[in-house]
């Protein structure tokens, strides 16, 4: 059970501390109460540029000591975001490194250097990002909805930034950055969140220590201005791909209470169990997906958007009004039940993701008191609705750096009666079930521990097509939702290029297990091709597993159970017998190269190159080599040559094959030239005969092996070992030598032709 403490330090810094005793990672998030709507009109994109520049050199930390390379070298995660009225920087590392990371975070907030080289570099990166975002459908939808705001005018301005917007006067740009930083980056405007297994007192001492390095300043009067919508606030937008409907409303009042109510609303609306809100939309084929997003949050309130994947916007608009009326009849018991589901969903997140939800997302409240007032406000609040689809024929409108095809739109009334909605908990009559006589070959780890966790995955070296994975996802979602209502949890996700089912099984879930084999039958082929991802590199990554695998999914599954009693194990093994059997050791894939050219509507060039680990190269040597390559590749391609927005070189496991993955996306350089750059980089890579470098690689690999292992990771590793697939261990890491690193580099160059290449045309 986590504990929380909120502080206001003497210098004005707001601090939220979360002690999470079982956390295996620790995280920090710093939020500044200034975003894109606070930047001067003369400098569109200034807040976004500052977000990027803070990761550059600061007074105390330069080069590889900066927060970004330091976190990457530690195997952690970090990112940043610029919102309308706030900006945030956040990272996650192992708990023992939290203090070092927070010290770096505070220094980059307090004392950025704004060197001319860094400003030029990040201006180029943002320009590439702007070109990328121009084709990004979600960003285009948001820009279209912003045209429905009559005031404030900030919603109509360009905020992404570009070379043209920043201009040629680097001195004036640097001065504007300094002024914006001095105006907002002080303790009266900053909030700090810290979360980890450390005690609240330890976290408080850390917050107090780093706060002393931050510039002091008082709290500014909030400049919040609630958006007002134009008279005809509904609009239609031409986009590629599937249709989507956004229903948005601005909610006024206590923002904490509003956010609490919306978190509970999201849990109700996304219920995919039979009879649930989302299930009713799917049953009528009115919508397939619903996401909830804050378009703007400030102290005056929040602009909320519900985003439906649908080809039936008129029906969904009518359904939403019906759903609000149905939710107004829910009992306190039902509200507590869905609140518990929201709390379970939140508890399953990593510390960094929890902090992001706390700062600007959907952290669950302690109670449901604000739910009914929220429903009443939603029913009466003015709405701005957006319908986007390929069928929309509009007129060109230039706005916020986009060229959008827009036209007026208004939903029409529908004659179909809305579906009845059911809310849990519901009485579930027990059914008489007869399990199969046979038993699946089910691997069992950590017997008699709790909880019982099931892992199901396709056979090794196979990959499900995107269409099959999506089809199975749709079949499984109602089953997963039912399990949540019974006290369990389940998910269908891609891990290392292989789709897998993970489920925590409560006692008494035999009816659920009995339904699982049918839900995992491969769906009939959908002849409609899924629309490509708006971002070229993400589309290539989506297609990579099929390019790397030796065959498509065969319907043969491998399974493991972590925890659970002997009785639970026997029940799972019996019910899975129709789909899980002993597949023996898999056939090893041939070492042959492959090239796939992907048509993509975007203007950027993109390239993925996967170099499989040669049989003669120890896996520990490949992974150590990747650790050396990753920061150097980024430095050369992103910093020195400014290839583009996407630059990556790292170890990657895909469809059970280990290798090095190069990923590049550029607005200016053709795929063939990008490929040549990768080859030149590997040729010119110099590995110094320095014992410290070798020891650093060993230490990082040992740390990976020493980290506590989650149940799913333990089952993945056990299944690989049973299948005869190799992995690193303590002995192979200890045996790592400088010669092995050089040989790994040589083998990769010699077997360059065995790589799997995906590129845009």
């Amino acid at each position: 059970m986590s504990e929380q403490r909120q502080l206001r330090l003497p210098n004005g810094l707001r601090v939220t501390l979360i002690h999470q005793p079982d956390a295996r990672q620790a995280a920090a998030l710093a939020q500044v109460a200034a975003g894109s709507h606070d930047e001067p009109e003369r400098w569109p994109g200034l807040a976004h540029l500052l977000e990027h520049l803070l990761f550059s050199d600061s007074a105390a930390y330069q080069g590889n000591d900066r927060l970004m390379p330091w976190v990457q070298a530690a195997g952690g995660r970090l990112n940043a975001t610029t919102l309308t009225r706030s900006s945030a920087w956040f990272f996650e590392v192992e708990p023992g490194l939290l203090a070092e990371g927070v010290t770096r975070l505070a220094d980059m907030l307090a004392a950025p250097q704004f060197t001319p080289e860094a400003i030029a570099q990040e201006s180029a990166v943002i320009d590439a990002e702007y070109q990328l975002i121009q084709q990004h459908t979600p960003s285009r939808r948001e820009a279209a909805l912003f045209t429905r705001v009559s005031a404030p005018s900030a919603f109509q301005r360009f905020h992404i930034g570009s070379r043209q917007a920043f201009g040629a006067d680097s001195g004036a740009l640097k001065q504007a950055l300094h002024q914006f930083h001095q105006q907002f980056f002080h303790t009266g405007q900053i909030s700090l969140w810290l979360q980890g297994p450390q005690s609240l007192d330890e976290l408080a001492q850390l917050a107090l220590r780093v706060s002393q390095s931050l510039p002091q300043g008082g709290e500014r009067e909030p400049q919040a201005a609630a958006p007002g919508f134009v008279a005809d606030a509904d609009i239609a937008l031409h986009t590629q791909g599937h249709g989507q409907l956004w229903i948005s409303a601005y909610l006024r009042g206590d923002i904490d209470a509003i956010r609490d109510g919306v978190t509970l609303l999201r849990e109700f609306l996304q219920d995919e169990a039979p009879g649930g809100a989302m299930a009713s939309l799917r049953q009528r084929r009115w919508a397939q997906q619903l996401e909830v997003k804050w378009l703007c949050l400030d102290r005056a309130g929040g602009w909320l958007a519900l985003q439906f994947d649908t080809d039936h916007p008129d029906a969904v608009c009518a359904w939403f009004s019906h759903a609000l009326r149905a939710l107004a009849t829910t009992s306190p018991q039902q509200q507590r039940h869905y609140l518990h589901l929201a709390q379970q969903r939140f508890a399953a997140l990593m510390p960094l993701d929890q902090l992001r939800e706390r700062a600007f997302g959907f952290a669950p409240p302690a109670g449901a008191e604000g739910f009914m007032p929220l429903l009443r406000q939603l029913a009466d609040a003015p709405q701005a609705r957006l319908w986007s689809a390929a069928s929309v024929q509009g007129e060109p409108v230039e706005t916020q750096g986009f060229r959008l095809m827009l036209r007026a739109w208004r939903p029409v009334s529908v004659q179909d009666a809305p579906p009845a909605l059911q809310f849990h908990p519901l009485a579930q009559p027990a059914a008489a079930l007869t399990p199969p006589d046979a038993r699946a070959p089910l691997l069992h780890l950590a017997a008699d521990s709790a909880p019982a966790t099931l892992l199901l995955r396709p056979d090794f070296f196979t990959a499900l097509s995107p269409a099959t994975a999506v089809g199975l996802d749709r079949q499984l979602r109602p089953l997963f939702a039912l399990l949540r209502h019974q006290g369990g949890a389940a998910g269908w996700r891609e891990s290392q290029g292989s789709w897998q089912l993970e489920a925590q099984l409560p006692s008494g879930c035999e009816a659920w297990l009995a339904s699982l084999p049918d839900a995992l039958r491969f769906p009939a082929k959908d002849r409609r091709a899924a629309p490509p991802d708006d971002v070229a590199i993400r589309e290539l990554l989506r297609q990579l597993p099929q390019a790397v695998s030796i065959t498509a999914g065969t319907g043969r599954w491998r399974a493991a159970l972590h925890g659970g009693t002997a009785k639970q194990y026997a029940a799972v093994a019996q019910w899975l017998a129709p789909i899980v059997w002993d597949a023996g050791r898999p056939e090893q894939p041939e070492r042959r190269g492959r090239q796939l050219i992907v048509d993509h509507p975007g203007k950027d060039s993109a390239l993925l190159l996967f170099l499989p680990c040669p049989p003669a190269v120890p896996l520990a040597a490949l992974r150590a080599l990747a650790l050396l390559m990753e920061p150097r590749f980024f430095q050369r391609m992103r910093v020195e040559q400014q290839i583009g927005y996407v630059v990556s070189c790292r170890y990657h496991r895909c469809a059970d094959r280990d290798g090095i993955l190069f990923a590049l996306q550029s607005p200016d350089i053709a795929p063939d030239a990008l490929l040549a750059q990768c080859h030149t980089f590997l040729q010119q890579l110099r590995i110094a005969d320095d014992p410290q470098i070798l020891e650093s690689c060993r230490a990082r690999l040992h740390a990976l092996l020493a980290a506590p292992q989650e149940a799913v990771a333990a089952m993945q590793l056990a299944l690989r070992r049973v299948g005869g697939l190799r992995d690193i261990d303590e002995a192979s890491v200890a045996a790592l030598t400088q010669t092995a690193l050089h040989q790994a580099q040589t083998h990769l160059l010699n077997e360059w032709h065995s790589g799997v290449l995906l590129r845009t045309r």
Side-chain angles (χ1 to χ4, degrees), residues 441-445 459-460 558-560 581-586 588 714-727:
L442 180 67
L443 202 61
H444 196 191
L445 308 179
D459 204 5
F460 293 119
R558 293 179 182 250
W581 59 86
D582 187 0
R585 293 208 167 193
Q588 293 292 321
M715 289 187 284
Q716 288 174 329
L717 179 59
L719 286 172
R720 285 180 61 84
R721 287 175 174 167
V722 169
L725 279 64
R726 59 178 178 165
D727 220 314

Side-chain angles (χ1 to χ4, degrees), residues 298-469:
D298 55 37
R299 296 181 189 178
W303 188 3
L304 178 70
L306 307 178
Q307 304 168 339
F308 299 85
D309 288 354
T310 178
D311 292 323
H312 304 279
D314 305 321
V316 173
C317 286
W319 174 91
F320 180 60
S321 298
H322 163 69
L324 290 181
R325 291 191 295 270
L327 287 168
T329 68
T330 54
S331 68
Q333 180 190 16
Q334 290 170 326
Q335 293 168 23
R336 287 193 298 270
H337 175 77
Y338 283 86
L339 175 60
H340 179 65
L341 295 183
Q343 291 166 343
Q344 282 185 318
R345 184 201 296 256
F346 182 79
L349 298 175
M350 295 291 288
L352 177 58
D353 302 310
Q354 288 191 7
L355 288 189
R356 294 185 64 187
E357 295 292 343
R358 292 180 191 275
F360 39 77
F362 301 96
E369 295 79 10
F371 186 57
M372 288 300 178
L374 172 77
L375 294 179
R376 289 192 290 271
Q377 186 175 176
L378 262 178
D380 297 333
Q383 294 181 354
R385 294 174 291 194
L386 167 74
W387 162 236
S388 69
S391 60
V392 172
Q393 302 296 317
E395 297 296 326
V397 174
E398 302 283 345
T399 177
Q400 306 155 65
F402 296 93
R403 190 174 192 270
L404 307 176
M405 302 298 289
L406 299 173
R407 69 167 173 83
W409 171 77
R410 177 164 294 189
V412 299
S413 60
V414 295
Q415 301 304 314
D416 294 341
L421 302 183
Q422 291 182 326
F423 304 112
H424 286 254
L426 298 170
Q428 298 288 341
L433 300 169
T434 304
D437 293 330
R439 289 194 177 192
L442 180 67
L443 202 61
H444 196 191
L445 308 179
D448 294 321
S449 64
T453 303
L454 173 67
L455 174 68
L456 272 166
R457 56 148 298 162
D459 204 5
F460 293 119
F461 303 121
T462 65
L464 303 181
S465 70
T468 298

Side-chain angles (χ1 to χ4, degrees), residues 534-556:
D534 292 322
V535 180
I537 200 71
R538 291 208 298 248
E539 177 60 23
L540 298 187
L541 284 167
R542 189 172 74 101
Q543 298 195 28
L544 180 65
Q546 280 196 291
V548 170
S549 65
I550 60 173
T551 183
T554 60
R556 297 163 60 176

